Amino acid sequence: MACRDNPGMTTSTTPTPDAGFGMLALSPAMLENLQALGYATMTPIQAASLPLALLGRDLIAQAATGSGKTAAFGLALLANLNPRRFAVQALVLCPTRELADQVATEIRRLARAADNVKVVTLCGGVPLRGQTASLEHGAHIVVGTPGRVMDHLERGTLDIGALNTLVLDEADRMLDMGFFDDIATVARQCPKERQTLLFSATYPEGIARLAQQFMRSPRTITVQSQHAPGRIRQRWYEVRETERLHAVAQALAHFRPASTLSFCNTKARCRDLGDVLRGQGFSALALYGELEQRERDQVLVRFANRSCSVLVATDVAARGLDIAQLEMVVNVDVAPDAEVHVHRIGRTGRVGQADVQGLAINFASLDEMGAVGRIEQLQKAQTHWSPLGELTPASSEPLAPPMATLQIAGGRKEKIRAGDVLGALTGEAGFTREQVGRINVNDFSTYVAVDRRIAAEAARRLSAGRIKGRTVKVRLLELDD
Ligand code: ADP
Ligand code: MG
């Protein structure tokens, strides 16, 4: 924990380690809910920000991805909320639809303790009409992207006259994406008497400008991006350029992790690595800027539901994604910025899984030794190099993901719910609960993960049966889909 001395801003105190939520002014129902969610102790950013946020203070909070920032502002905005008042009382601005969806999901989980809190997401790429209808039905909390929120404000379909909490989540990323003016437009329309919470993984210059214009003597809280020692095991290998992509395949065959996130510095490298890995029989998907939203959604669903072993991504594409259970992170290229390296490896061995040690594999060529040196300085630890030759295959079996994904044509618009799909698989089709994994219902399609060994049969039986009284088209997603 460290506090930044910004002129005109006060600093905060160091939190007690392993602080429980019980020390906060939260309702007994909320404390019980947190326990049910498995949130036993506060993360450092929660412990540092929540006591102040619950007092109504404006905050600038900076902490790495995966540090629990959503609950930090989620609990604060819920504390300000009166569910019996039918008006939008909190607005969370996020850079992308995916992040908005994740934030909305987490807020809904946190809000289970109160009655009927309505959370509506407002993001681009979806017709305005449905969103307007959701707003007319009454919303307490709006989570959205700046552009689309502005659209609704201009049309008069969103009224924020009763707003009491404004949250800027992933503020650095929103600034990267050129949203400064949009954020400013929205913030100017919020009531003056409100609490503003700004969350960010890094602290670029634009943040101070936002704070100056739209926040009231905010406190700045920084949780340094150092991981608990021993939580992440790092291994470094020196490679020649010609060996680099093959070395990633060697590491996968050697460690055989169920889920791996591989970071590349460029989109071209992502594409190449995806091709090389698929060529060698790994189930690998690539995530980079140019994919259409629908393709991105599908890639993420398949990785998160464990039907794809390796996700290859750029930093920007992977930013903020909340994917639990990552056994391994690979730095295919050395991150040019040491802070970025620390964020990348923090994806393995995550919050709330203190007992699980993460594994970070790093490949570096001679040209990258300068960047390696900066990482050593930041981590205050010397790099130990291992010989590439130790990465021998641990088995002659190919590394296959445990699950496979079935895509069902039809989603929320057809009123399909996860329970309907689970019911169809475990009822009529005769599978067990254990053979079914995550179910994601999107607007127009539904994805269900099933045990790989029964995937083809499950697709056949679902197509032959009915969901919500209707027959549905079902397709088993293959790697080249
Ligand atoms: P960030 O926004 O900082 O990237 P998230 O808010 O997405 O991080 O949280 C990362 C993960 O940690 C989520 O899966 C969340 O449910 C979990 N989490 C948050 N707070 C706690 C806690 N106090 N105890 C255990 N898990 C937590
Ligand atoms: Mg976040």
Side-chain angles (χ1 to χ4, degrees), residues 21 39 41 46 64-70 106 109 322 350-351:
F21 287 95
Y39 293 10
T41 55
Q46 291 164 358
T65 298
S67 55
K69 294 190 287 293
T70 320
E106 174 85 348
R109 274 152 38 97
D322 176 23
R350 294 292 296 274
V351 189

Side-chain angles (χ1 to χ4, degrees), residues 191-250:
K192 290 262 168 319
E193 282 298 309
R194 62 154 200 274
Q195 183 176 18
T196 307
L197 303 169
L198 184 154
F199 285 76
S200 194
T202 59
Y203 196 96
E205 177 271 335
I207 299 225
R209 271 209 296 150
L210 273 179
Q212 247 166 19
Q213 292 185 33
F214 305 109
M215 299 178 78
R216 290 184 308 183
S217 10
R219 291 224 193 172
T220 302
I221 295 167
T222 306
V223 172
Q224 249 153 27
S225 36
Q226 284 298 351
H227 306 296
R231 193 168 68 85
I232 300 167
R233 183 157 61 105
Q234 289 203 65
R235 294 190 85 78
W236 289 81
Y237 300 92
E238 189 183 324
V239 290
R240 285 192 297 266
E241 273 322 318
T242 49
E243 295 171 319
R244 194 187 295 266
L245 301 185
H246 181 68
V248 178
Q250 274 178 267

Side-chain angles (χ1 to χ4, degrees), residues 86-88 90-91 118-122 128-143 148-149 151-153 155-160:
F86 295 102
V88 175
L91 170 62
K118 291 252 163 49
V119 184
V120 168
T121 54
L122 301 179
L128 283 156
R129 205 148 24 88
Q131 298 179 341
T132 303
S134 305
L135 289 170
E136 279 166 1
H137 278 101
H140 296 102
I141 301 166
V142 166
V143 182
R148 182 53 67 99
V149 167
D151 276 357
H152 280 283
L153 287 172
R155 283 160 201 265
T157 44
L158 171 64
D159 178 358
I160 51 174

Side-chain angles (χ1 to χ4, degrees), residues 64-70 73 99 102-103 169-170 199 320:
T65 298
S67 55
K69 294 190 287 293
T70 320
F73 63 74
L99 293 170
Q102 282 177 19
V103 166
D169 189 24
E170 303 259 353
F199 285 76

Side-chain angles (χ1 to χ4, degrees), residues 26-35 74-75 78-79 110-114:
L26 295 172
S27 69
M30 178 58 91
L31 290 173
E32 209 170 293
N33 182 37
L34 287 169
Q35 203 166 23
L75 290 172
L78 286 169
L110 294 171
R112 288 192 309 202

